[in-house]
């Protein structure tokens, strides 16, 4: 069973608008969450993270929100730019263990000019 | 960007042959990981290392072995390659220290595309 789910395989957004990427998880022991961006033929690039003691973390145009009661997190990109077009992976970790990451299957974001 | 290289970047091999992929880091990070990425599966952990000569299995370890004789190098070996091991393989590193949330991030190499015919 998938512990980290990204239910939208793709998302298309107009340049300048907000992109919202969603991620759900089932394991209540997860206490650290990350988002990665991946361009074709490149390795994933770390984008932003949040620990379970917070409900929001912001870095420039990127904000991650965590709703622990719903076991849901989202990544907001405002404003969206064509260069943001990539596959976005959500990942979760259980602290105190080796901290291995469990990844979702990814959401392909297309930002149209 | 973290100093991580993978070699080879592309490889085509025949079923039944052994294959070794290399990951090299210049960051002196303790933790190293091997993942595979397949359509519809995201990234799945194969094996990881938490120090020299210290390794453990991940989610999809069958048919793979690893070795880490130096901090900077982590080798992934397909003992007898099969077509189901056709994939893109990513190495990652982490400088994570116990109790430090800020260092749980993993940094990825550029990947190796392996085709088993």
């Amino acid at each position: 069973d998938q512990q980290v789910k990204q239910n939208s395989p793709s998302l298309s957004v107009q340049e300048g608008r907000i992109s919202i990427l969603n991620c759900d998880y089932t394991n209540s022991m997860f206490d650290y969450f990350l988002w990665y961006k991946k361009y074709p033929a490149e390795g994933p690039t770390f984008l932003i993270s949040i620990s379970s003691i917070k409900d929001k973390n912001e870095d420039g145009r990127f904000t991650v929100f965590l709703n622990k009661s719903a076991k849901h997190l989202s990544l907001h990109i405002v404003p969206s730019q064509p260069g943001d077009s990539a596959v976005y992976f959500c990942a979760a970790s259980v602290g105190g263990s080796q901290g291995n990451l469990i990844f979702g299957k990814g959401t392909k974001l297309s930002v149209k000019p | 960007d973290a100093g991580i290289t993978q070699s080879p970047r592309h490889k085509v091999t025949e079923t039944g042959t052994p294959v070794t992929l290399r990951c090299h880091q210049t960051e002196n990070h303790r933790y190293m990981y091997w993942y595979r990425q397949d359509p519809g599966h995201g990234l799945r952990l194969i094996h990881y290392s938490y120090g020299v000569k210290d390794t453990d299995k991940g989610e999809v370890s069958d048919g793979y072995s690893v070795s880490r004789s130096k901090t900077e190098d982590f080798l992934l070996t397909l003992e007898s390659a099969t077509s189901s091991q056709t994939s893109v393989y990513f190495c990652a590193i982490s400088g994570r220290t116990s109790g430090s949330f800020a260092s749980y991030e993993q940094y990825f190499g550029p990947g190796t595309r392996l085709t088993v015919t």
Side-chain angles (χ1 to χ4, degrees), chain B residues 1-25:
Chain B
D1 289 343
I4 313 169
T5 57
Q6 293 184 231
S7 58
R9 293 293 314 278
H10 302 271
K11 185 170 182 65
V12 180
T13 192
E14 293 184 350
T15 298
T17 60
V19 176
T20 296
L21 308 183
R22 180 181 183 238
C23 177
H24 179 77
Q25 61 145 331

Short mmCIF file of all heavy atoms in Angstrom, two decimals, chain B residues 1-25:
data_model
loop_
_atom_site.label_atom_id
_atom_site.label_comp_id
_atom_site.label_asym_id
_atom_site.label_seq_id
_atom_site.Cartn_x
_atom_site.Cartn_y
_atom_site.Cartn_z
N ASP B 1 25.09 23.20 -5.54
CA ASP B 1 24.67 21.80 -5.67
C ASP B 1 25.68 20.87 -5.00
O ASP B 1 26.87 21.12 -5.00
CB ASP B 1 24.53 21.41 -7.13
CG ASP B 1 23.34 22.07 -7.79
OD1 ASP B 1 22.47 22.54 -7.05
OD2 ASP B 1 23.31 22.12 -9.02
N ALA B 2 25.14 19.81 -4.38
CA ALA B 2 26.01 18.82 -3.76
C ALA B 2 26.85 18.15 -4.83
O ALA B 2 26.41 17.95 -5.95
CB ALA B 2 25.16 17.79 -3.02
N GLY B 3 28.09 17.79 -4.46
CA GLY B 3 28.98 17.17 -5.41
C GLY B 3 28.73 15.68 -5.50
O GLY B 3 29.33 14.89 -4.74
N ILE B 4 27.86 15.29 -6.39
CA ILE B 4 27.53 13.88 -6.58
C ILE B 4 27.64 13.56 -8.06
O ILE B 4 27.03 14.23 -8.88
CB ILE B 4 26.08 13.56 -6.14
CG1 ILE B 4 25.77 14.15 -4.79
CG2 ILE B 4 25.86 12.05 -6.11
CD1 ILE B 4 24.30 14.09 -4.45
N THR B 5 28.39 12.53 -8.37
CA THR B 5 28.48 12.07 -9.75
C THR B 5 28.11 10.60 -9.80
O THR B 5 28.31 9.85 -8.83
CB THR B 5 29.89 12.28 -10.33
OG1 THR B 5 30.84 11.61 -9.49
CG2 THR B 5 30.23 13.76 -10.41
N GLN B 6 27.58 10.20 -10.94
CA GLN B 6 27.22 8.81 -11.17
C GLN B 6 27.85 8.35 -12.48
O GLN B 6 27.90 9.10 -13.45
CB GLN B 6 25.70 8.64 -11.25
CG GLN B 6 24.99 8.91 -9.94
CD GLN B 6 23.50 8.65 -10.03
OE1 GLN B 6 22.67 9.47 -9.67
NE2 GLN B 6 23.13 7.46 -10.50
N SER B 7 28.32 7.11 -12.46
CA SER B 7 28.88 6.56 -13.69
C SER B 7 28.53 5.09 -13.82
O SER B 7 28.44 4.38 -12.81
CB SER B 7 30.41 6.74 -13.69
OG SER B 7 30.99 6.09 -12.57
N PRO B 8 28.27 4.62 -15.05
CA PRO B 8 28.12 5.45 -16.24
C PRO B 8 26.81 6.21 -16.23
O PRO B 8 25.98 5.98 -15.34
CB PRO B 8 28.13 4.39 -17.36
CG PRO B 8 27.48 3.19 -16.73
CD PRO B 8 27.97 3.20 -15.31
N ARG B 9 26.60 7.11 -17.14
CA ARG B 9 25.33 7.82 -17.22
C ARG B 9 24.32 7.03 -18.04
O ARG B 9 23.11 7.15 -17.81
CB ARG B 9 25.54 9.19 -17.86
CG ARG B 9 26.38 10.15 -17.02
CD ARG B 9 25.65 10.56 -15.71
NE ARG B 9 24.28 10.92 -15.92
CZ ARG B 9 23.87 12.10 -16.33
NH1 ARG B 9 24.74 13.05 -16.58
NH2 ARG B 9 22.58 12.35 -16.48
N HIS B 10 24.82 6.25 -18.95
CA HIS B 10 23.95 5.40 -19.76
C HIS B 10 24.63 4.05 -19.94
O HIS B 10 25.85 3.99 -20.10
CB HIS B 10 23.69 6.00 -21.15
CG HIS B 10 23.08 7.37 -21.10
ND1 HIS B 10 21.71 7.57 -21.08
CD2 HIS B 10 23.64 8.60 -21.07
CE1 HIS B 10 21.47 8.87 -21.04
NE2 HIS B 10 22.61 9.51 -21.03
N LYS B 11 23.81 2.99 -19.90
CA LYS B 11 24.40 1.67 -20.14
C LYS B 11 23.33 0.76 -20.72
O LYS B 11 22.18 0.76 -20.25
CB LYS B 11 24.96 1.07 -18.87
CG LYS B 11 25.69 -0.26 -19.11
CD LYS B 11 26.44 -0.73 -17.91
CE LYS B 11 27.19 -2.03 -18.19
NZ LYS B 11 28.27 -1.83 -19.20
N VAL B 12 23.73 -0.01 -21.73
CA VAL B 12 22.89 -1.06 -22.29
C VAL B 12 23.62 -2.38 -22.04
O VAL B 12 24.81 -2.50 -22.35
CB VAL B 12 22.64 -0.85 -23.79
CG1 VAL B 12 21.77 -1.97 -24.34
CG2 VAL B 12 21.99 0.51 -24.04
N THR B 13 22.92 -3.32 -21.49
CA THR B 13 23.55 -4.61 -21.19
C THR B 13 22.58 -5.73 -21.50
O THR B 13 21.39 -5.49 -21.73
CB THR B 13 23.97 -4.66 -19.71
OG1 THR B 13 24.82 -5.81 -19.50
CG2 THR B 13 22.76 -4.78 -18.79
N GLU B 14 23.11 -6.93 -21.53
CA GLU B 14 22.28 -8.09 -21.87
C GLU B 14 21.81 -8.80 -20.60
O GLU B 14 22.48 -8.78 -19.56
CB GLU B 14 23.05 -9.05 -22.76
CG GLU B 14 23.36 -8.48 -24.13
CD GLU B 14 24.05 -9.50 -25.03
OE1 GLU B 14 24.46 -10.56 -24.52
OE2 GLU B 14 24.17 -9.22 -26.23
N THR B 15 20.67 -9.43 -20.72
CA THR B 15 20.13 -10.22 -19.62
C THR B 15 21.15 -11.24 -19.14
O THR B 15 21.81 -11.90 -19.95
CB THR B 15 18.85 -10.95 -20.07
OG1 THR B 15 17.88 -9.96 -20.43
CG2 THR B 15 18.30 -11.81 -18.96
N GLY B 16 21.30 -11.32 -17.82
CA GLY B 16 22.19 -12.31 -17.23
C GLY B 16 23.59 -11.81 -16.93
O GLY B 16 24.35 -12.49 -16.23
N THR B 17 23.93 -10.64 -17.42
CA THR B 17 25.27 -10.11 -17.15
C THR B 17 25.27 -9.29 -15.86
O THR B 17 24.27 -8.68 -15.51
CB THR B 17 25.76 -9.22 -18.30
OG1 THR B 17 24.85 -8.13 -18.45
CG2 THR B 17 25.83 -10.00 -19.59
N PRO B 18 26.40 -9.28 -15.16
CA PRO B 18 26.49 -8.42 -13.97
C PRO B 18 26.77 -6.98 -14.39
O PRO B 18 27.45 -6.73 -15.38
CB PRO B 18 27.68 -9.02 -13.21
CG PRO B 18 28.51 -9.67 -14.26
CD PRO B 18 27.59 -10.11 -15.35
N VAL B 19 26.23 -6.06 -13.60
CA VAL B 19 26.41 -4.64 -13.88
C VAL B 19 26.71 -3.92 -12.57
O VAL B 19 26.07 -4.21 -11.55
CB VAL B 19 25.12 -4.02 -14.50
CG1 VAL B 19 25.29 -2.51 -14.70
CG2 VAL B 19 24.76 -4.71 -15.80
N THR B 20 27.65 -3.01 -12.60
CA THR B 20 27.95 -2.20 -11.41
C THR B 20 27.84 -0.73 -11.75
O THR B 20 28.42 -0.26 -12.73
CB THR B 20 29.35 -2.50 -10.86
OG1 THR B 20 29.39 -3.86 -10.40
CG2 THR B 20 29.66 -1.58 -9.67
N LEU B 21 27.06 -0.03 -10.95
CA LEU B 21 26.90 1.41 -11.07
C LEU B 21 27.63 2.07 -9.91
O LEU B 21 27.61 1.57 -8.78
CB LEU B 21 25.42 1.80 -11.05
CG LEU B 21 24.50 1.07 -12.02
CD1 LEU B 21 23.07 1.62 -11.90
CD2 LEU B 21 25.00 1.14 -13.44
N ARG B 22 28.25 3.21 -10.22
CA ARG B 22 29.05 3.87 -9.20
C ARG B 22 28.47 5.23 -8.86
O ARG B 22 28.05 5.99 -9.74
CB ARG B 22 30.49 4.05 -9.68
CG ARG B 22 31.41 4.75 -8.66
CD ARG B 22 32.81 4.90 -9.23
NE ARG B 22 33.74 5.51 -8.28
CZ ARG B 22 34.42 6.63 -8.50
NH1 ARG B 22 34.27 7.27 -9.65
NH2 ARG B 22 35.25 7.10 -7.60
N CYS B 23 28.50 5.54 -7.57
CA CYS B 23 28.13 6.87 -7.08
C CYS B 23 29.32 7.41 -6.31
O CYS B 23 29.87 6.73 -5.43
CB CYS B 23 26.91 6.78 -6.18
SG CYS B 23 26.41 8.36 -5.46
N HIS B 24 29.68 8.63 -6.62
CA HIS B 24 30.84 9.27 -5.98
C HIS B 24 30.43 10.63 -5.45
O HIS B 24 29.80 11.41 -6.16
CB HIS B 24 31.97 9.43 -6.99
CG HIS B 24 33.19 10.09 -6.43
ND1 HIS B 24 34.09 9.44 -5.62
CD2 HIS B 24 33.64 11.37 -6.55
CE1 HIS B 24 35.06 10.27 -5.26
NE2 HIS B 24 34.81 11.45 -5.82
N GLN B 25 30.76 10.91 -4.19
CA GLN B 25 30.43 12.21 -3.60
C GLN B 25 31.68 12.88 -3.06
O GLN B 25 32.64 12.22 -2.65
CB GLN B 25 29.43 12.02 -2.45
CG GLN B 25 29.95 11.14 -1.31
CD GLN B 25 29.47 11.57 0.06
OE1 GLN B 25 29.22 12.76 0.31
NE2 GLN B 25 29.36 10.62 0.98
#
